[in-house]
């Protein structure tokens, strides 16, 4: 996601910790694409269900420091966090490219090894909908892979980058400032298209603020989109820096989603 905002930060988990201690819980309405029905003989019919993308999601064991699979109900929160923001966006044109929630799947893990911290806590909203507990001691961020169906091509990201270098979001009463910057796309081979971007998200004001550096790599082919995200907290993190762990995880995610490379 200049940089884009996602409203919340994932809990910094440790391998083996229960998912509920590692992934944010949604605290507000989440934006999802509605699948339109079709008409047969003048009667509205439900669109056929989309197959689950879970079999094409990179395994939690492929993460550099382990990960947890997000249960079905929690995937909506990850979508808002990674592919968002949700809530109010100003200007309105700066909504991120849409995804389809049906069939989506996600894994979330820490970007370093640390013991789990199960103490309660809520971090300020950062532009999407969700919340996070207090980060685990010793962690600096999270790594997330999300796989979804995509209703449009990657050219929607190009328009997003061109028009939305800076914008604001508001969710659950919290306002955030987002700086979005396009990064050089990664090359993965075959017919798979890619995009890369950096977001700096700042929530708060004169009494104190919270900043996130978010680096996101995207791949898409044949109506399926993969996001690999590295999220770090603090003003010292550089979202334009693509870590070796993120690059490796992204390539593994692409290999799993498209074994034949399109």
């Amino acid at each position: 996601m200049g940089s884009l905002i996602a409203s919340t930060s994932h809990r910094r988990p440790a391998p083996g910790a229960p998912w509920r201690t590692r992934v944010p819980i949604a605290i507000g309405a989440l934006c999802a694409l509605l699948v339109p029905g079709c008409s047969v003989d003048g009667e509205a019919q439900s669109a056929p269900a989309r197959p689950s993308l879970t079999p094409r999601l990179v395994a939690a064991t492929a993460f550099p420091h382990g990960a947890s699979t997000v249960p079905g109900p929690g995937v909506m929160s990850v979508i808002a966090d990674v592919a968002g923001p949700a809530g109010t966006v100003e200007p309105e044109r700066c909504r991120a490219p849409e995804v389809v929630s049906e069939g989506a799947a996600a894994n979330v893990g820490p970007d370093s090894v640390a013991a789990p911290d199960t103490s309660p806590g809520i971090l300020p909203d950062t532009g999407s909908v969700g919340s996070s507990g207090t980060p685990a001691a010793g962690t600096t961020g999270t790594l997330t892979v999300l796989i979804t169906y995509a209703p449009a091509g990657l050219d929607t990201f190009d328009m997003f980058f061109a028009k939305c270098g800076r914008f604001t979001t508001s969710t659950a009463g919290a306002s955030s400032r987002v700086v979005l910057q396009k990064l050089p796309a990664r090359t993965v081979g075959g017919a798979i298209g890619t995009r890369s971007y950096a977001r700096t998200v700042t929530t708060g004001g004169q009494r104190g603020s919270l900043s996130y550096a978010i680096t996101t790599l995207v791949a898409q082919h044949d109506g399926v989109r993969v996001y690999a995200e590295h999220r770090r907290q603090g003003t010292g993190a550089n979202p334009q820096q693509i870590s070796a762990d993120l690059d490796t995880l992204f390539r593994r995610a692409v290999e799993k989603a498209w074994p034949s490379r399109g």
Side-chain angles (χ1 to χ4, degrees), residues 1-7 80-85 96 126-128 160-161 167 177-183 197-202 211-216 227 229-232 237-240:
M1 296 201 118
S3 235
L4 159 58
I5 257 187
S7 48
D81 228 19
V82 174
T126 58
S128 204
F160 182 50
F161 300 149
F167 58 95
R177 303 176 298 282
V178 184
V179 179
L180 171 67
Q181 181 176 359
K182 180 180 179 180
L183 300 178
Y197 55 97
R199 294 176 284 166
T200 299
V201 178
T202 305
S211 181
Y212 290 92
I214 306 167
T215 310
T216 307
Y227 294 81
E229 178 195 88
H230 188 187
R231 177 181 300 250
R232 289 148 289 179
N238 180 6
Q240 299 178 41

Side-chain angles (χ1 to χ4, degrees), residues 31-35 75-76 79 99-105 147-149:
C31 291
L33 182 68
L34 297 178
V35 180
V75 173
M76 288 292 291
I79 289 175
V99 298
V100 179
S101 60
E102 183 180 20
I147 185 168
T148 71
Y149 290 104

Side-chain angles (χ1 to χ4, degrees), residues 25-230:
I25 302 171
I27 60 172
L30 301 178
C31 291
L33 182 68
L34 297 178
V35 180
C38 58
S39 178
V40 179
D41 295 332
E43 295 183 4
Q45 303 291 328
S46 298
R50 296 173 185 263
S52 172
L53 291 169
T54 299
R56 298 173 64 176
L57 174 66
V58 67
T61 54
F63 279 58
H65 306 291
S68 288
T69 297
V70 181
V75 173
M76 288 292 291
S77 178
V78 177
I79 289 175
D81 228 19
V82 174
T88 301
V89 180
E90 179 61 39
E92 176 65 24
R93 68 172 184 270
C94 289
R95 288 197 176 278
E98 291 180 304
V99 298
V100 179
S101 60
E102 183 180 20
N107 284 333
V108 179
D111 68 354
S112 61
V113 178
D117 180 0
T118 58
S119 59
I122 298 294
L123 295 179
D125 187 277
T126 58
S128 204
V129 179
S131 64
S132 172
T134 304
T139 62
T140 59
T142 54
L143 293 166
T144 302
V145 173
L146 169 69
I147 185 168
T148 71
Y149 290 104
L154 289 176
D155 57 337
T156 55
F157 281 92
D158 298 331
M159 293 184 285
F160 182 50
F161 300 149
K163 296 179 179 180
C164 299
R166 293 177 181 270
F167 58 95
T168 61
T169 67
S170 180
T171 307
S175 179
S176 299
R177 303 176 298 282
V178 184
V179 179
L180 171 67
Q181 181 176 359
K182 180 180 179 180
L183 300 178
R186 319 304 281 177
T187 301
V188 296
I192 301 168
T194 65
R195 297 293 187 273
S196 304
Y197 55 97
R199 294 176 284 166
T200 299
V201 178
T202 305
T203 300
Q206 295 181 347
R207 294 185 177 181
S209 62
L210 187 64
S211 181
Y212 290 92
I214 306 167
T215 310
T216 307
L217 309 182
V218 181
Q220 184 169 324
H221 177 63
D222 199 22
V224 173
R225 186 181 297 163
V226 167
Y227 294 81
E229 178 195 88
H230 188 187

